[in-house]
Amino acid sequence: MPAATPPVPEFERRWTNVDLSGARFHNVVLSGAKITGVWARDLVVDGDLRGLTVNGIDVMPYVEQRLAAEHPELGQIWSGDLDDLRAGWATVRAAWESTEAEVAALDEAMLHERVDDEYSYLETLRHLVFASDAWLRRCLLGETDFWYAGVPHDEMEPEVLELLPIDAAADPALDEVMAVRLDRRGVLDRLLAEATPDALAEHPPARERNGYPLDTSGRTVGECLRCIVNEEWWHHRYATRDLAVVRQGVAER
């Protein structure tokens, strides 16, 4: 989901002769970063990458080609064509429905577990509700309310968070989360069904600066819709990845 660049805290910006084995960086901005003299095995890089050069080779074309081959719905989401966007959402929606059927048979306690301090399964669903409240209901429909148990992104500015009726201590059960989740999914279904190709380039009315995002001007209908379908795709990937770890941990106990 598009978000303002978080403020960069004061920290040492240059590391030399430092052992960072096992280090983990989360919600960091690395634009323009350069890592040299590296010795690494099993290095994992996961995120929104817009250019990656390894030992002088731009590897992003290969990464994008593999992603497109394995997940053609990603290309559909960003093609700019309304029918493609609908088809991409249909694929993502079906993937979520399959996962939800599996989750229904699990101990609910597993759905509250985090892996590597990422969102738990239920937090993921709550975050997607928040995203829908922001980019669909607020930006496109002009709604002003946010679900009390929505989960904003971690780097949200405190002054913006203060505008939202979000209860940071909320911990709703699966049934409540799913009821709201399905409602918001229905909003996306309806907006995509009612959209026209020309409407994707239209700009909805600017909203008051009393919620998230603060500035809704300049956003097109297509950008808002693609934002949510893209969020749905990535967070399904993260959720199923981490659920597999949780299930494995339970099996080994």
Side-chain angles (χ1 to χ4, degrees):
M1 178 169 57
T5 301
V8 179
E10 292 298 323
F11 65 99
E12 181 60 49
R13 292 182 176 275
R14 184 180 184 92
W15 294 273
T16 304
N17 295 327
V18 175
D19 184 355
L20 294 175
S21 300
R24 185 171 184 275
F25 303 89
H26 181 61
N27 280 336
V28 298
V29 178
L30 291 174
S31 298
K34 186 175 183 180
I35 306 173
T36 59
V38 174
W39 188 92
R41 292 181 180 176
D42 302 321
L43 180 65
V44 175
V45 180
D46 198 346
D48 184 2
L49 304 177
R50 310 290 176 90
L52 177 63
T53 299
V54 178
N55 290 340
I57 306 297
D58 180 5
V59 300
M60 282 309 298
Y62 170 73
V63 173
E64 291 168 351
Q65 183 181 32
R66 283 292 305 273
L67 280 173
E70 295 180 17
H71 304 284
E73 65 275 12
L74 270 179
Q76 293 175 318
I77 292 170
W78 294 107
S79 75
D81 180 83
L82 177 57
D83 287 337
D84 278 351
L85 181 57
R86 287 169 173 160
W89 169 234
T91 299
V92 176
R93 195 184 198 286
W96 270 114
E97 289 175 339
S98 176
T99 298
E100 289 159 3
E102 296 177 9
V103 163
L106 299 180
D107 181 345
E108 188 166 322
M110 298 168 63
L111 309 184
H112 292 267
E113 289 194 33
R114 284 186 162 196
V115 175
D116 287 340
D117 205 32
E118 299 278 5
Y119 290 149
S120 68
Y121 181 82
L122 286 179
E123 287 172 324
T124 296
L125 300 189
R126 291 164 57 196
H127 174 68
L128 290 171
V129 168
F130 175 82
S132 295
D133 281 347
W135 297 100
L136 300 182
R137 297 179 67 252
R138 172 171 163 76
C139 287
L140 298 187
L141 301 178
E143 301 287 348
T144 59
D145 60 312
F146 282 72
W147 185 43
Y148 83 99
V151 174
H153 48 274
D154 293 340
E155 64 274 20
M156 176 168 287
E157 302 88 338
E159 60 271 21
V160 179
L161 191 57
E162 289 176 359
L163 298 173
L164 305 174
I166 301 296
D167 180 1
D171 189 24
L174 176 62
D175 287 348
E176 181 183 357
V177 174
M178 280 304 300
V180 183
R181 163 78 170 142
L182 293 178
D183 175 80
R184 301 307 194 264
R185 193 154 72 194
V187 172
L188 179 56
D189 289 338
R190 177 168 58 83
L191 288 172
L192 282 172
E194 295 175 352
T196 64
D198 291 341
L200 294 185
E202 294 178 357
H203 293 263
R207 310 304 178 187
E208 293 184 22
R209 295 173 61 87
N210 59 356
Y212 178 82
L214 279 181
D215 185 5
T216 64
S217 62
R219 310 286 184 180
T220 67
V221 171
E223 287 172 338
C224 293
L225 291 172
R226 284 190 291 270
C227 167
I228 294 303
V229 179
N230 185 62
E231 280 279 291
E232 292 275 355
W233 189 91
W234 282 102
H235 281 290
H236 180 262
R237 178 173 179 267
Y238 300 148
T240 53
R241 174 199 66 192
D242 292 348
L243 269 179
V245 175
V246 171
R247 296 173 79 166
Q248 181 64 31
V250 171
E252 292 174 354
R253 290 172 190 167

